[in-house]
Amino acid sequence: MSLTRRQVTSAALAALPLGAAAAAPARAGARRPRTVYLAGDSTAAQKYSDAAPETGWGMALPFFLQSGLPVANHAVNGRSSKSFIDEGRLDAVLAAIRPGDFLLVQFAHNDEKTTDPARYTEPWTTYQDCLRRYLDGARAKGARPVLATPVERRRFDAAGRALPTHGEYPAAMRALAAQEGVALLDIQALSLALWQRLGVEATKTYFNWTATEQDNTHFNPPGAIAVARLVAGELLRTRVFAPRDVIRLHDAVPTSWITWPAPLS
């Protein structure tokens, strides 16, 4: 299935943070679409031309959702579930979110930083406490919260086995989702299995490996598209979205559809 240039541009704009996307004028009398708000860290965040080819999976997610489900990507580099709240970013999301919208939450990479009190959370206490604030806030606004376990880093042992890197955080999120009756997208388990299938060398083409950088955490366009496909598949599996809402799940998505806008001034 191919896209027109206009459709590709529309999907790229849908992945921008709400403040940037809000500049586009709304059609008079148009019905407001359900919006997918994304709260997370650098693995999901919008990247700009000064960071290319680094690509957050949130940039690719709109290509797997029908046009009536725009993505407001509020994920920001370096944030944990705690610092995102402390900086007022969750408040900003909750000020914009409306009944019928979705709040998709993925954190752990920076929660794991034990030497940084501004970001560190403990999996079974403060991490869960912070995540509850996202759940409670979304529910209070009539929106549906969805938890996503953190996507895995690229790490292999000497025998070529893909290794988990997030400790107890995925288990803590799974337990919280079960307690709260919230849909869980198990991206950690799925991405670990994907990296294992691809193997040591092939995974380099999914992460931000360049001539000057060997980054085993952040993605390039193929990696971001692959992870966004996992997210879309989980949104379908967990019945957050109906089959009509998820598109191209088994179709190729060209990396040329990924674009990096100029940095925000």
Side-chain angles (χ1 to χ4, degrees):
M1 182 175 183
S2 61
L3 284 181
T4 65
R5 181 179 294 275
R6 181 177 180 180
Q7 287 171 316
V8 171
T9 301
S10 296
L13 288 173
L16 289 173
L18 180 66
R27 291 177 298 167
R31 181 181 178 185
R32 182 184 181 278
R34 296 176 297 161
T35 300
V36 180
Y37 287 83
L38 178 55
D41 55 37
S42 59
T43 61
Q46 173 70 46
K47 310 297 179 179
Y48 297 91
S49 56
D50 56 352
E54 185 176 322
T55 309
W57 61 257
M59 297 166 63
L61 185 59
F63 297 129
F64 296 98
L65 303 180
Q66 56 97 345
S67 59
L69 284 167
V71 176
N73 190 349
H74 286 255
V76 181
N77 292 2
R79 272 52 179 191
S80 70
S81 65
K82 177 182 184 296
S83 65
F84 194 92
I85 293 171
D86 291 345
E87 293 174 3
R89 297 180 185 277
L90 176 58
D91 287 340
V93 171
L94 296 179
I97 206 165
R98 297 291 183 265
D101 289 342
F102 305 86
L103 177 55
L104 176 53
V105 182
Q106 181 214 247
F107 288 105
H109 287 77
N110 299 299
D111 290 73
E112 300 164 10
K113 298 184 183 298
T114 56
T115 60
D116 185 351
R119 293 188 285 182
Y120 175 66
T121 62
E122 193 281 329
W124 296 99
T125 56
T126 48
Y127 179 60
Q128 289 187 329
D129 291 342
C130 287
L131 292 177
R132 283 192 184 92
R133 293 182 62 178
Y134 295 81
L135 307 185
D136 293 345
R139 287 165 166 165
K141 298 301 291 282
R144 181 171 181 179
V146 180
L147 294 175
T149 55
V151 62
E152 270 298 347
R153 301 178 176 94
R154 178 185 174 274
R155 184 174 298 172
F156 292 86
D157 65 14
R161 289 186 292 263
L163 299 175
T165 67
H166 292 300
E168 292 293 307
Y169 291 88
M173 181 180 278
R174 293 180 189 112
L176 178 64
Q179 292 169 7
E180 296 286 338
V182 173
L184 178 84
L185 317 183
D186 205 347
I187 306 307
Q188 184 270 332
L190 291 173
S191 58
L192 185 67
L194 177 58
W195 308 150
Q196 182 64 64
R197 288 196 302 273
L198 291 168
V200 175
E201 291 304 315
T203 47
K204 293 177 182 178
T205 66
Y206 283 64
F207 284 80
N208 192 35
W209 275 53
T210 68
T212 58
E213 187 173 13
Q214 296 180 354
D215 183 344
N216 293 311
T217 298
H218 303 100
F219 307 108
N220 61 14
I225 290 168
V227 176
R229 191 186 303 274
L230 297 179
V231 172
E234 284 288 271
L235 288 167
L236 183 59
R237 181 191 65 82
T238 56
R239 299 183 180 180
V240 172
F241 292 154
R244 66 179 179 274
D245 296 325
V246 177
I247 58 176
R248 301 187 193 91
L249 197 56
H250 305 291
D251 297 338
V253 172
T255 58
S256 60
W257 291 1
I258 298 291
T259 59
W260 298 268
L264 298 176
S265 57

